[in-house]
Amino acid sequence: EQGQVIIGQSSISHSLEFGVSISPTDTDIFNGPYEQARRHLDEINSQSMLTGVVVSDNLLTDNVMGGVRMSGDVTGVGSVPLSRIVNNSIVGVLVDDVPSGIGISVSNNSAPTLLNNIIVNSDIAIDIDASSVVDPNIDPDLPPLAVVGGTVFANNTTDASNAIIGLGAFPIVLDVANGDPLFMDATNGNYYLAPNSLAIDSAIESLEERPDM
């Protein structure tokens, strides 16, 4: 798409913050967000979604705060970024053998699709705040904001913080401490998938997202 930003096929490690951080633009003179053109869809775009950044096929390791931070407009007035965070391997920092940081953080009225990611060694693997979720019990006619599917979780303190979304569609939870294979040799930086790992060929080919749109 014209003007689309893609962060892909990169290896990012040992950052003091997040490996990838996506945040809103500066505010205008009235401290409000700059207005952007909403995406035109077959149905009325009542949630003001706007095509956002694509983060795909990256290896994000040992970044202190976490792998990916996706943040929208805190005021809720600006457009809602519809981003794709797909096919990434995110490995957190072990502090005295304890997982730390956040694998993927979603906050402030964001609407990403998180698909086919591997998240390991994080305090919270996927942390999605309430402003980035549509509760179907409250707004059954609205499509979801954040969408999660095909995630492989391993050695995280908490896999998912949001009870509405949970682990998402088709999750795989590995018990690496008891022998479930994942990477060839993560200690020495070899993140190829190990033989017989459940992560091999586990990606979802397609996931219905926001069908009403």
Side-chain angles (χ1 to χ4, degrees):
E1 295 183 26
Q2 184 177 7
Q4 188 174 40
V5 176
I6 300 176
I7 302 172
Q9 300 181 3
S10 299
S11 179
I12 303 173
S13 63
H14 298 95
S15 168
L16 291 177
E17 297 189 4
F18 282 83
V20 175
S21 182
I22 305 163
S23 58
T25 60
D26 295 333
T27 56
D28 60 21
I29 59 173
F30 303 106
N31 293 322
Y34 287 107
E35 290 296 319
Q36 304 292 327
R38 272 61 164 172
R39 186 175 181 180
H40 292 283
L41 304 164
D42 291 337
E43 302 293 335
I44 295 175
N45 187 2
S46 60
Q47 293 170 299
S48 301
M49 290 188 183
L50 175 71
T51 301
V53 176
V54 174
V55 181
S56 66
D57 303 293
N58 297 290
L59 175 61
L60 309 174
T61 63
D62 297 311
N63 298 295
V64 175
M65 292 183 67
V68 180
R69 175 171 57 193
M70 173 80 224
S71 178
D73 170 41
V74 67
T75 68
V77 175
S79 298
V80 175
L82 174 58
S83 298
R84 302 288 198 275
I85 301 174
V86 182
N87 297 341
N88 301 284
S89 293
I90 300 171
V91 182
V93 179
L94 291 177
V95 179
D96 296 328
D97 292 326
V98 177
S100 66
I102 299 173
I104 300 176
S105 171
V106 178
S107 62
N108 298 336
N109 305 291
S110 298
T113 293
L114 314 181
L115 188 64
N116 299 334
N117 297 290
I118 298 175
I119 307 178
V120 186
N121 295 347
S122 296
D123 182 33
I124 303 175
I126 298 178
D127 188 23
I128 303 176
D129 75 354
S131 70
S132 303
V133 174
V134 171
D135 188 339
N137 295 317
I138 298 176
D139 295 303
D141 296 328
L142 286 179
L145 290 177
V147 175
V148 180
T151 310
V152 176
F153 301 94
N155 198 42
N156 304 298
T157 305
T158 300
D159 288 328
S161 66
N162 192 288
I164 295 174
I165 293 181
L167 301 182
F170 309 107
I172 296 175
V173 180
L174 299 180
D175 187 356
V176 293
N178 288 314
D180 286 351
L182 181 55
F183 298 125
M184 290 291 292
D185 186 4
T187 302
N188 293 304
N190 185 345
Y191 294 102
Y192 284 102
L193 294 178
N196 302 316
S197 172
L198 293 178
I200 296 174
D201 294 331
S202 67
I204 302 173
E205 292 184 3
S206 64
L207 178 66
E208 185 180 65
E209 56 167 343
R210 308 172 182 90
D212 294 337
M213 302 183 74

